[in-house]
Amino acid sequence: RFELVESGETSVQAGGSLRLSCVADVGSDSRNYLGWFRQIPGKGRDGVAAIYRRDESTIPYYSDSVKGRFSIARDSAKHTLYLQMNDLKPEDTAMYYCAIGNNPERLWDYGYWAQGTQVTISE
């Protein structure tokens, strides 16, 4: 079975926290990384965080803009991926996509992603 389905709260004030979840039941798909990227309307896509699904001891990838504030984790038994977002800033406002791909910084390259979750951070 191949499925990526996102869920989670979507808005908070600056300084607050949110957690996104993604059911990532990707079976034997050949792509190696699970994670999130985000997109702001009218702007390009940005990688956020990703884990190497073949070896969970590998240090996850985080973009410089979220390093130290966001944390990615995976519960393999539940086929679920989590993105814990702390100390949120208005510039974190974007559509967040759970995705599978081969480039942790650019999961959208030859990747597949879920429906997206709008995250809004107010001042």
Side-chain angles (χ1 to χ4, degrees), residues 34 44 46 71 77 90 120 122:
L34 282 168
D46 287 323
S71 177
T120 302
S122 57

Side-chain angles (χ1 to χ4, degrees), residues 1-5 22-27 34 53 78-80:
R1 183 173 85 164
F2 188 97
E3 180 182 45
L4 292 175
V5 179
C22 175
V23 174
D25 190 357
V26 295
L34 282 168
R53 55 190 284 251
K78 297 181 179 179
H79 300 293
T80 302

Side-chain angles (χ1 to χ4, degrees), residues 8-14 16-20 85 88 93-94 117-122:
E9 296 182 9
T10 61
S11 64
V12 74
Q13 288 188 319
S17 298
L18 290 173
R19 188 176 81 157
L20 300 181
M85 304 183 289
L88 283 158
T93 295
T117 299
Q118 176 64 41
V119 171
T120 302
I121 312 303
S122 57

Side-chain angles (χ1 to χ4, degrees), residues 8-81:
E9 296 182 9
T10 61
S11 64
V12 74
Q13 288 188 319
S17 298
L18 290 173
R19 188 176 81 157
L20 300 181
S21 300
C22 175
V23 174
D25 190 357
V26 295
S28 59
D29 189 273
S30 62
R31 287 164 283 201
N32 292 318
Y33 291 90
L34 282 168
W36 271 269
F37 66 89
R38 63 189 181 186
Q39 184 163 21
I40 300 170
K43 298 187 178 181
R45 293 165 175 161
D46 287 323
V48 175
I51 59 171
Y52 182 62
R53 55 190 284 251
R54 312 295 181 189
D55 181 358
E56 296 187 3
S57 66
T58 302
I59 296 174
Y61 160 78
Y62 294 102
S63 69
D64 288 342
S65 61
V66 308
K67 199 171 293 183
R69 300 188 297 122
F70 290 16
S71 177
I72 188 171
R74 183 186 182 194
D75 184 331
S76 298
K78 297 181 179 179
H79 300 293
T80 302
L81 194 68

Side-chain angles (χ1 to χ4, degrees), residues 31 37 45 100-103 106-113:
R31 287 164 283 201
F37 66 89
R45 293 165 175 161
I100 184 170
N102 276 326
N103 185 334
R106 296 174 61 89
L107 289 171
W108 56 89
D109 280 349
Y110 304 104
Y112 179 84
W113 50 90

